[in-house]
């Protein structure tokens, strides 16, 4: 008997769970993708229901798995716990002994819940919880035997609640130590294109660090990838390049999308605007340790700001 078998919890899946799963699956381009989205949706809803019973706040609408573009591009089954992070809810099919972990779910997750499916989809079993581990080479699978009792999940949530901060200013110096704030992922995870196709131009690309964040442009119903790339020039100074790219399902950036660099008091230092058929826009500048700045994206009445410290 493994360490999860005595702690399994059955969660019923009613009409609302299946209605949402069918709706999301019908939006997909292929039958295979539709099945994946269907099971992911049920898995997320089951964990949401379980945490709701325990009066733990969740936000389905903020989850990547509930975002039409993200679930179409990625294999995601996350559930947002406000102020805590993304909890990945991975489906486990009958007779499976391991859970696949696509690249997009190996970063920015507080951990994983295994959700066991049987032929009858009226209920599922929660196999347990596995905390996220910071691997330089993230695993492609998680063994079912690695799941710990659900009490471990509840303790983990309590600890994260205690230490959770509000909005975090990205600390760029820590990026060279492989410490990244929530949302900043490998470029390939967001854009799904080789590094050679990107427009970075550094004198020493091997020394640079690149991360990407998916930015939702509000009511424009379009998202873009914001890339920040760093190359050290000395112990106190680094070159910084900021680029904006369309996602895989888009060819060009939204026309008139503006990328702005703001100083620490909010004054605009430089900006660039996308034309009707731009595949990327960029700004390049340098900064010293301790400098603060912001990057602002704006199109129409929508604007998004990201703050940084070097």
């Amino acid at each position: 008997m493994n360490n999860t078998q005595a702690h399994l919890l059955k969660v019923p899946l009613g009409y609302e769970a299946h209605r949402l799963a069918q709706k999301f699956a019908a939006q997909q381009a292929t039958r295979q993708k539709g099945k994946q989205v269907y099971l992911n949706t049920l898995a997320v809803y089951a964990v949401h229901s379980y945490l709701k019973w325990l009066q733990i706040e969740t936000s389905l609408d903020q989850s990547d798995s509930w975002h039409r573009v993200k679930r179409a591009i990625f294999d995601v089954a996350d559930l947002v716990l406000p102020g805590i992070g993304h909890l990945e809810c991975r489906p486990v099919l009958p007779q499976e002994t391991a859970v696949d972990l696509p690249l997009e779910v190996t970063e920015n997750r507080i951990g994983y819940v295994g959700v066991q499916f049987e032929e009858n989809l009226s209920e599922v079993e929660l196999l347990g919880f596995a905390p996220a581990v910071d691997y330089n080479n993230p695993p492609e699978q998680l063994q079912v035997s690695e799941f710990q009792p659900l009490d471990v999940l509840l303790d983990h949530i309590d600890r994260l609640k205690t230490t959770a901060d509000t909005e975090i200013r990205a600390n760029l110096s820590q990026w060279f130590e492989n410490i990244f704030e929530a949302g900043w992922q490998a470029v390939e995870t967001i854009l799904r294109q080789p590094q050679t196709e990107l427009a970075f131009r550094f004198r020493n690309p091997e020394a640079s660090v690149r991360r990407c964040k998916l930015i939702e442009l509000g009511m424009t119903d379009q998202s873009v990838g914001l890339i920040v790339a760093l190359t050290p020039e000395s112990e106190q100074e680094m070159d910084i390049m900021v680029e904006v790219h369309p996602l895989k399902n888009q060819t060009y950036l939204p026309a008139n999308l503006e990328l702005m660099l703001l100083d620490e008091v909010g004054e605009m230092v430089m900006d660039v605007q996308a034309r009707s058929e731009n595949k990327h826009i960029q700004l390049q500048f340098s900064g010293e340790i301790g400098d603060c700045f912001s990057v602002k994206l704006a199109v129409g009445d929508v604007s998004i700001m990201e703050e940084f410290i070097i």
Side-chain angles (χ1 to χ4, degrees):
M1 177 182 293
N2 65 47
N3 66 341
T4 66
Q5 287 179 329
H7 303 274
L8 298 185
L9 175 72
K10 291 188 177 182
V11 179
L13 293 171
Y15 169 78
E16 180 64 10
H18 284 278
R19 183 189 70 81
L20 289 168
Q22 290 171 355
K23 175 184 175 182
F24 295 166
Q27 297 167 350
Q28 308 312 308
T30 66
R31 183 185 298 270
Q32 181 179 7
K33 180 64 177 178
K35 180 180 178 181
Q36 177 194 93
V37 168
Y38 195 98
L39 294 176
N40 285 350
T41 303
L42 292 181
V44 172
Y45 201 92
V47 178
H48 157 74
S49 297
Y50 166 63
L51 295 177
K52 186 177 179 181
W53 296 338
L54 298 175
Q55 297 184 329
I56 295 174
E57 183 182 3
T58 67
S59 178
L60 289 169
D61 291 343
Q62 293 182 31
S63 306
D64 294 345
S65 58
W66 245 246
H67 187 282
R68 182 166 183 160
V69 174
K70 295 177 186 178
R71 66 173 172 260
I73 298 174
F74 305 125
D75 178 6
V76 287
D78 67 314
L79 175 63
V80 165
L81 310 185
I84 297 175
H86 293 250
L87 177 64
E88 188 70 19
C89 315
R90 297 307 299 178
V92 182
L93 298 180
Q95 309 307 316
E96 286 186 339
T97 59
V99 180
D100 289 334
L101 298 181
L103 179 62
E104 52 264 36
V105 307
T106 58
E107 297 180 323
N108 303 315
R109 296 295 190 264
I110 66 170
Y112 306 89
V113 175
V115 181
Q116 178 72 65
F117 284 85
E118 300 298 341
E119 295 300 328
N120 185 347
L121 297 181
S122 63
E123 65 178 17
V124 293
E125 286 186 323
L126 303 188
L127 297 178
F129 171 69
V133 180
D134 185 16
Y135 291 99
N136 290 326
N137 296 307
E140 295 181 358
Q141 285 189 330
L142 183 66
Q143 298 300 312
V144 168
S145 60
E146 296 179 62
F147 286 115
Q148 302 175 44
L150 290 170
D151 287 347
V152 177
L153 168 62
L154 304 183
D155 291 341
H156 196 61
I157 291 173
D158 285 340
R159 285 195 300 272
L160 292 174
K161 276 183 179 178
T162 302
T163 58
D165 294 325
T166 54
E167 284 295 318
I168 297 176
R169 174 180 285 171
N171 188 327
L172 299 181
S173 296
Q174 292 185 350
W175 286 17
F176 291 98
E177 301 172 15
N178 290 322
I179 300 173
F180 306 103
E181 292 73 21
W184 291 99
Q185 304 183 55
V187 173
E188 314 85 73
T189 302
I190 302 294
L191 299 184
R192 297 300 183 92
Q193 52 186 312
Q195 294 282 2
T196 54
E197 295 182 13
L198 302 177
F200 300 115
R201 296 293 182 268
F202 285 109
R203 290 194 296 274
N204 186 10
E206 292 79 11
S208 65
V209 176
R210 306 173 178 88
R211 302 302 278 186
C212 185
K213 189 171 187 177
L214 193 149
I215 303 294
E216 299 175 32
L217 298 175
M219 299 304 293
T220 62
D221 194 29
Q222 189 166 6
S223 301
V224 295
L226 175 65
I227 304 171
V228 176
L230 315 170
T231 296
E233 287 297 304
S234 68
E235 291 185 0
Q236 294 295 317
E237 187 176 3
M238 67 177 68
D239 278 346
I240 303 169
M241 183 176 286
V242 179
E243 291 195 351
V244 182
H245 287 254
L247 299 185
K248 182 180 179 182
N249 62 332
Q250 302 157 356
T251 304
Y252 302 111
L253 292 171
N256 300 319
L257 174 66
E258 190 173 10
L259 172 64
M260 293 167 273
L261 172 66
L262 311 179
D263 64 18
E264 59 184 338
V265 296
E267 294 292 329
M268 188 171 69
V269 178
M270 61 176 70
D271 73 324
V272 63
Q273 191 173 64
R275 301 180 185 274
S276 59
E277 294 186 352
N278 277 152
K279 293 186 176 181
H280 78 275
I281 52 177
Q282 68 178 36
L283 296 173
Q284 187 169 5
F285 52 97
S286 62
E288 297 183 349
I289 299 297
D291 285 351
C292 297
F293 66 92
S294 300
V295 170
K296 184 176 182 180
L297 283 169
V299 58
D301 296 329
V302 177
S303 65
I304 295 92
M305 186 110 60
E306 292 288 336
E307 298 183 355
F308 303 88
I309 184 170
I310 299 176

